[in-house]
Amino acid sequence: MEAKKILVPISGNSADEEAIKLACRLGEKWKAKVYVVYIIEVERSLPLDAPVESEVEEAEEILTHAEDVAADIGYDIETDLLKAREAGPGIVDEAMERGVDLIVMAIGYRKHLGEFDLGETVPYVLREAPCQILLYREPIS
């Protein structure tokens, strides 16, 4: 496995940091470009370009933290803030648009009704993304 372009979608959860570190280590090994994206989900009742200032501020803080994590290990990443109706299709669209070879995703360990739950985004990306995917799951705390 080798990649020249790596996409890391983040959501502000505690597992994001490990995904960024992993992507940077792989990027360093393969001399790949690492793109970190945060997607703001915009409700269908609003136009896609509707201003969502409070979410933009939070997203910018999360992306700044991602840049700091990468800088701490000496790797330069490119960050971007996107808007989409749903995160899964937004991630897949971004992967196709950028022509990435690998998506590195992270999820926390969470349960819903007593069962481990992947949520909606991860299964969608696993099903629809045109490239390889590495999924990092946090340990059970």
Side-chain angles (χ1 to χ4, degrees), residues 94-113:
E94 188 68 7
M96 291 190 306
E97 188 174 304
R98 290 185 185 266
V100 301
D101 308 298
L102 174 66
I103 298 173
V104 178
M105 295 182 74
I107 59 170
Y109 184 86
R110 65 176 179 219
K111 286 186 171 187
H112 180 71
L113 301 174

Side-chain angles (χ1 to χ4, degrees), residues 34-92:
V34 175
Y35 304 100
V36 177
V37 297
Y38 184 96
I39 297 178
I40 294 176
E41 292 181 313
V42 180
E43 294 179 31
R44 294 196 185 282
S45 61
L46 299 172
L48 201 51
D49 61 350
V52 282
E53 293 306 318
S54 61
E55 290 183 47
V56 168
E57 287 178 29
E58 179 185 357
E60 287 175 348
E61 287 176 23
I62 291 168
L63 289 170
T64 298
H65 179 70
E67 290 170 344
D68 294 342
V69 168
D72 286 347
I73 56 176
Y75 206 77
D76 188 35
I77 62 171
E78 184 178 314
T79 61
D80 204 359
L81 173 59
L82 308 171
K83 291 182 183 179
R85 297 292 179 198
E86 295 177 20
I91 293 165
V92 171

Side-chain angles (χ1 to χ4, degrees), residues 106-124:
I107 59 170
Y109 184 86
R110 65 176 179 219
K111 286 186 171 187
H112 180 71
L113 301 174
E115 294 287 324
F116 173 66
D117 182 32
L118 286 173
E120 294 178 12
T121 303
V122 171
Y124 183 89

Side-chain angles (χ1 to χ4, degrees), residues 1 19 22 26 30 102-106 126 132-136:
M1 181 173 93
L22 176 59
L26 292 172
W30 298 328
L102 174 66
I103 298 173
V104 178
M105 295 182 74
L126 289 171
Q132 297 180 78
I133 300 167
L134 277 176
L135 180 61
Y136 169 82

Side-chain angles (χ1 to χ4, degrees), residues 14-41:
S14 56
D16 287 344
E17 197 167 306
E18 290 303 319
I20 294 164
K21 289 177 184 177
L22 176 59
C24 289
R25 287 187 197 108
L26 292 172
E28 192 171 48
K29 179 180 178 182
W30 298 328
K31 299 182 181 7
K33 182 72 180 162
V34 175
Y35 304 100
V36 177
V37 297
Y38 184 96
I39 297 178
I40 294 176
E41 292 181 313

